[in-house]
């Protein structure tokens, strides 16, 4: 038996007016078929009764009769379409938030496309007509969207397919011939591509800003972490400083109390001695008094006259009028307080400096000597940590980096941040230490000073220390350094030298203008016939207590 699809093609099952499957199909006198509702609405709009297909005019409105054959075929066609719909309904079931098909009557399936001409969204089954029928293929299909009416021009009821750059709005083709006739308009797709490209740039910029903000957040979190570490270190150092100061005060107080006690004991002993001496004199005087009283009571003239000369000699007595015992402790306390102040000042300076030195030691770097820069008379250790002078010239290859004086640089250069290293100078009578610019002259003997790219401290003649600024600055040190620490803060323009063992500042170059890479600089001086033969030794960092 023939099926509906074999009797008529799909195009023949569609009303030429609504382009949908016939619903209550009727035939007019010219032989063309339409949905009854569609042809009546057409004739109601148009005064003349005319066939929409062949344009034949009718004197009066024809009587419409149902085309039973086409009606049956259309019914069978709908049933066939519904079976296809039900077979794929599980796959096409719309989920929450998805656009629904406007044609489905029972279970509304997910729309696959929306038609800007029909202003209707279609599921896969109902979209099939737009993919097969020639007239429907010309319709503009887009991804399914809600509110298709918003994509139509409210004035002309036409699709918004043109973009007016003058008014920055979407218009229809009729608008470009009326209100926007003299405006700069472009096809919607062209404006879309341009805006999308701009949007892409904006998205990239926003993503870049987001990345920068995330980096800033990471930086801020790191700064908090570093701040916490610094705070802990400063707290520990403060506790240590004030604990030591408290101990110094307690020790000084104990010493003052002990001195007061000793002074009181001395006074007490002195008073005891005075009292003893007075008591002895009183005893002697009482004895003499008794003898005198006995003699004065005698009636014997001869005895009185003979005994009186010996009794007239007064016993030895001391003049106690000027004898005083003073127990003033004011001087002791004042001297103790002055001594305490001096001690505390020294302790505080030492402890604070220890804290500063401990802080810069955090930036210690592993420095090794660069043999390519070493002068021919310098001997470097195999590990690159020691350098000394030798009278005999070494057989070394020529290099533009090699110094003509007794100098050598470290291998490691620094163009930012902070770095610190320590050098043992024990047993030497002369040396130069510091940092040098990468571009310093290696072949011409120049003055060691900042303007020539050197920030140097030196020792001459065993006890003459100098900072080599624009002019040599003599340095007065309380002790002879055996280990020198060199600290550089590139951004702050600071080069500082420390006596590590004495925890004392040697000298600081401040306000330096660093514009290129800096290298550690070493010069052991001539060995001076063995008097200065000790090497300069780059030491591992042992943090101060």
């Amino acid at each position: 038996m023939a099926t509906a699809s074999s009797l008529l093609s799909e195009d023949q099952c569609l009303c030429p007016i609504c382009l949908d499957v016939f619903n209550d199909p009727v035939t007019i006198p010219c032989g063309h078929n339409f949905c009854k509702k569609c042809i009546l609405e057409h004739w109601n709009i148009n005064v003349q009764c005319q066939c929409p297909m062949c344009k034949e005019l009718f004197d009066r409105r024809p009587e419409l009769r149902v085309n039973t054959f086409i009606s049956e075929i259309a019914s069978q066609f709908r049933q066939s379409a519904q079976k296809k719909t039900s077979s794929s309904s599980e796959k096409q079931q719309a989920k929450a938030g998805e656009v629904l098909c406007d044609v489905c009557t029972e279970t509304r399936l997910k729309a696959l496309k929306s038609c800007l001409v029909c202003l209707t969204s279609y599921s896969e089954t109902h979209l099939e007509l737009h993919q097969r029928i020639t007239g429907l293929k010309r319709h503009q299909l887009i991804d399914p969207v809600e509110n298709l009416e918003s994509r139509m021009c409210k004035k002309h009821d036409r699709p918004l397919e043109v973009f007016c750059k003058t008014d920055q709005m979407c218009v229809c083709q009729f608008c470009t011939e009326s209100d926007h006739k003299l405006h700069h308009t472009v096809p919607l797709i062209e404006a879309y591509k341009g805006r999308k490209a701009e949007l892409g740039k904006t998205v990239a910029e926003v993503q870049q800003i987001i990345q920068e903000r995330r980096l800033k957040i990471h930086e801020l979190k790191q700064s908090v972490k570093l701040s916490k570490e610094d705070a802990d270190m400063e707290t520990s150092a403060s506790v240590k400083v004030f604990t030591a100061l408290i101990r110094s005060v307690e020790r000084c107080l104990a010493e003052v109390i002990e001195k007061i006690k000793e002074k009181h004991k001395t006074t007490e002993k002195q008073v005891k001695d005075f009292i003893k001496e007075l008591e002895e004199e009183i005893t002697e005087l009482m004895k003499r008094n008794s003898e005198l009283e006995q003699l004065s009571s005698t009636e014997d003239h001869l005895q009185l006259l003979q005994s009186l000369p010996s009794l007239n000699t007064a016993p030895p007595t001391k003049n106690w009028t000027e004898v005083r015992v003073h127990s003033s402790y004011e001087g002791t306390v004042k001297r103790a307080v002055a001594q305490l102040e001096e001690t505390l000042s020294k302790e505080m300076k030492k402890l604070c400096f220890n804290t500063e030195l401990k802080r810069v030691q955090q930036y210690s770097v592993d420095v090794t000597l660069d043999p390519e820069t070493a002068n021919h008379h310098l001997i470097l250790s195999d590990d690159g940590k020691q350098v000394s002078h030798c009278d005999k010239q070494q057989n070394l290859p020529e290099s533009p980096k090699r110094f003509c004086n007794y100098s050598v640089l470290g291998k490691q250069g620094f163009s930012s941040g902070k770095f610190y290293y320590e050098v043992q100078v024990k047993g030497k009578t002369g040396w130069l230490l510091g940092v040098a610019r990468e571009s310093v002259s290696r072949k011409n003997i120049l003055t060691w000073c900042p303007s020539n790219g050197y920030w140097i401290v030196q020792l001459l003649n065993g006890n003459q220390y100098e900072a080599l600024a624009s002019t040599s600055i003599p340095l007065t040190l309380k002790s002879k350094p055996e280990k020198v620490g060199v600290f550089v803060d590139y951004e702050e323009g600071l080069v500082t030298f420390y006596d590590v063992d004495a925890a004392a500042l040697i000298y600081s170059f401040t306000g330096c203008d660093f514009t290129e890479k800096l290298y550690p600089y070493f010069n052991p001086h001539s060995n001076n016939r063995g008097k200065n033969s000790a090497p300069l030794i780059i030491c591992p960092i042992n943090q101060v207590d």
Side-chain angles (χ1 to χ4, degrees):
M1 182 177 177
T3 62
S5 60
S6 65
L7 291 173
L8 286 175
S9 69
E10 190 171 341
D11 288 357
Q12 292 173 313
C13 293
L14 301 178
C15 171
I17 296 177
C18 68
L19 299 176
D20 204 349
V21 178
F22 284 112
N23 184 17
D24 197 10
V26 295
T27 303
I28 62 175
C30 64
H32 290 107
N33 300 290
F34 304 94
C35 295
K36 185 177 181 179
K37 181 180 178 182
C38 292
I39 191 63
L40 287 175
E41 287 181 353
H42 177 73
W43 284 342
N44 289 334
I45 295 172
N46 297 279
V47 176
Q48 292 181 324
C49 292
Q50 184 182 38
C51 175
M53 299 295 290
C54 64
K55 308 301 181 183
E56 183 180 343
L57 290 172
F58 304 107
D59 294 336
R60 55 189 179 85
R61 183 173 292 190
E63 183 180 351
L64 299 177
R65 294 187 178 183
V66 175
N67 189 321
T68 56
F69 175 75
I70 293 179
S71 179
E72 184 180 347
I73 296 301
S75 176
Q76 293 180 14
F77 189 83
R78 284 195 188 93
Q79 291 175 4
S80 176
Q82 287 175 356
K83 288 180 181 179
K84 292 181 181 178
T85 300
S86 61
S87 64
S88 60
S89 61
E90 290 186 6
K91 298 181 180 178
Q92 298 181 7
Q93 285 290 330
K95 298 178 182 178
E98 293 181 332
V99 179
L100 301 178
C101 175
D102 295 324
V103 181
C104 294
T105 56
E106 296 181 0
T107 303
R108 297 185 67 185
L109 304 180
K110 180 181 72 173
L112 190 63
K113 292 288 182 179
S114 294
C115 178
L116 293 178
V117 178
C118 304
L119 295 181
T120 305
S121 297
Y122 297 100
S123 64
E124 183 178 359
T125 301
H126 295 112
L127 184 66
E128 195 173 356
L129 299 178
H130 279 74
Q131 296 170 337
R132 292 186 181 182
I133 299 174
T134 304
L136 295 179
K137 285 182 178 179
R138 291 193 293 270
H139 288 192
Q140 187 176 353
L141 298 175
I142 62 172
D143 289 335
V145 293
E146 298 280 4
N147 302 322
L148 281 166
E149 292 80 5
S150 66
R151 296 173 175 268
M152 299 295 289
C153 176
K154 290 181 173 59
K155 184 175 183 180
H156 302 103
D157 198 26
R158 298 281 295 176
L160 300 173
E161 51 190 5
V162 179
F163 183 76
C164 177
K165 287 192 170 183
T166 305
D167 292 336
Q168 292 292 301
M169 61 183 295
C170 296
V171 298
C172 72
Q173 191 64 44
F174 286 175
C175 290
T176 63
E177 298 170 2
S178 55
D179 297 345
H180 299 265
K181 186 175 182 179
L182 300 178
H183 292 183
H184 181 198
T185 59
V186 295
L188 202 63
I189 184 67
E190 182 180 330
Y192 163 79
K193 290 179 179 178
R195 286 291 177 87
K196 193 170 185 180
E198 292 175 4
L199 186 61
K201 292 180 181 178
T202 303
V203 169
E205 291 173 358
V206 170
Q207 289 176 346
Q208 177 66 26
I209 293 172
I210 291 172
Q211 184 63 22
E212 290 174 357
R213 298 300 185 271
R214 285 175 176 166
L215 289 173
K216 177 57 69 176
I217 289 172
H218 177 73
E219 179 184 326
L220 292 173
K221 287 182 177 179
Q222 284 296 110
S223 66
V224 170
K225 182 181 177 182
L226 292 175
S227 176
K228 180 64 167 59
E229 292 174 356
D230 288 345
D232 290 344
M233 187 182 71
E234 288 298 322
T235 300
S236 176
S238 299
V239 169
K240 188 174 181 180
V241 168
F242 282 94
T243 300
L245 293 178
I246 291 169
R247 287 175 182 170
S248 295
V249 171
E250 289 174 345
R251 186 171 56 251
C252 188
L253 176 61
E255 290 174 358
V256 170
I257 292 173
E258 187 62 29
K259 286 181 180 179
I260 292 172
K261 287 181 178 180
E262 289 294 328
K263 189 170 185 180
H264 173 67
K265 287 180 180 179
T266 302
T267 301
E268 192 175 38
K269 183 177 181 304
Q270 186 180 21
V271 169
K272 283 183 178 181
D273 291 342
F274 285 158
I275 291 173
K276 182 180 179 181
E277 188 176 348
L278 286 169
E279 287 176 344
E280 289 176 351
E281 286 190 8
I282 290 172
T283 301
E284 185 64 28
L285 288 171
M286 289 179 67
K287 180 181 177 182
R288 182 60 55 89
N289 183 60
S290 176
E291 291 176 352
L292 289 173
E293 287 180 350
Q294 183 179 359
L295 185 61
S296 62
S297 63
T298 185
E299 296 295 334
D300 188 342
H301 304 298
L302 179 63
Q303 183 184 1
L304 176 64
L305 294 174
Q306 288 178 339
S307 301
L308 190 60
S310 61
L311 292 175
N312 281 340
T313 304
T317 58
K318 183 176 181 178
N319 183 6
W320 292 91
T321 306
E322 301 299 327
V323 174
R324 296 285 188 277
V325 176
H326 297 283
S327 301
S328 174
Y329 300 100
E330 183 179 351
T332 305
V333 175
K334 190 173 182 179
R335 285 191 299 271
V337 170
Q339 184 180 351
L340 175 61
E341 184 178 0
E342 183 180 354
T343 302
L344 290 180
S345 178
K346 290 179 180 178
E347 286 293 321
M348 184 173 287
K349 287 181 180 178
K350 183 177 180 181
L351 290 169
C352 290
F353 190 84
N354 281 344
T355 302
E356 179 186 350
L357 187 56
K358 189 173 182 179
R359 179 183 63 82
V360 301
Q361 284 177 331
Q362 294 180 100
Y363 302 101
S364 60
V365 293
D366 184 16
V367 176
T368 52
L369 302 170
D370 184 0
E372 285 192 46
T373 65
N375 177 265
H376 289 84
H377 286 274
L378 297 183
I379 298 176
L380 275 57
S381 62
D382 292 338
D383 62 0
K385 297 292 185 180
Q386 301 185 27
V387 57
S388 58
H389 174 264
C390 178
D391 292 328
K392 184 179 179 182
Q393 183 170 312
Q394 307 297 303
N395 185 18
L396 300 174
E398 287 299 327
S399 169
K401 295 182 178 181
R402 199 174 302 285
F403 283 92
C404 66
N405 53 30
Y406 303 148
S407 303
V408 60
L409 298 180
K411 284 183 180 180
Q412 295 75 19
F414 304 89
S415 55
S416 64
K418 306 176 182 68
F419 64 95
Y420 174 84
Y421 62 96
E422 293 179 354
V423 184
Q424 180 178 306
V425 296
K426 183 179 180 180
K428 296 192 66 62
T429 59
W431 46 260
L432 293 98
L433 289 175
V435 291
R437 282 200 304 251
E438 185 175 24
S439 64
V440 292
S441 175
R442 315 292 175 95
K443 305 305 178 184
N444 297 323
I445 300 177
L446 300 174
T447 304
W448 290 287
C449 63
S451 60
N452 289 333
Y454 294 94
W455 291 266
I456 300 293
V457 165
Q458 75 167 344
L459 167 65
L460 294 172
N461 305 321
N463 58 7
Q464 184 181 343
Y465 294 93
E466 295 178 341
L468 303 183
S470 55
T471 57
S472 295
I473 301 173
L475 304 175
T476 302
L477 306 182
K478 292 183 178 180
S479 60
K480 185 175 181 179
E482 294 188 352
K483 188 185 293 183
V484 176
V486 182
F487 172 69
V488 178
D489 187 332
Y490 195 98
E491 282 72 24
E492 288 295 323
L494 176 69
V495 182
T496 303
F497 298 83
Y498 299 95
D499 181 345
V500 177
D501 297 321
L505 176 68
I506 296 176
Y507 186 77
S508 281
F509 291 93
T510 58
C512 308
D513 184 17
F514 301 134
T515 57
E516 58 183 272
K517 191 172 287 189
L518 299 177
Y519 288 85
Y521 174 84
F522 308 84
N523 185 324
H525 272 203
S526 167
N527 64 29
N528 194 18
R529 299 179 182 179
K531 295 179 181 179
N532 190 37
S533 60
L536 292 174
I537 304 173
I538 302 170
C539 306
I541 307 300
N542 297 316
Q543 288 204 342
V544 294
D545 296 329

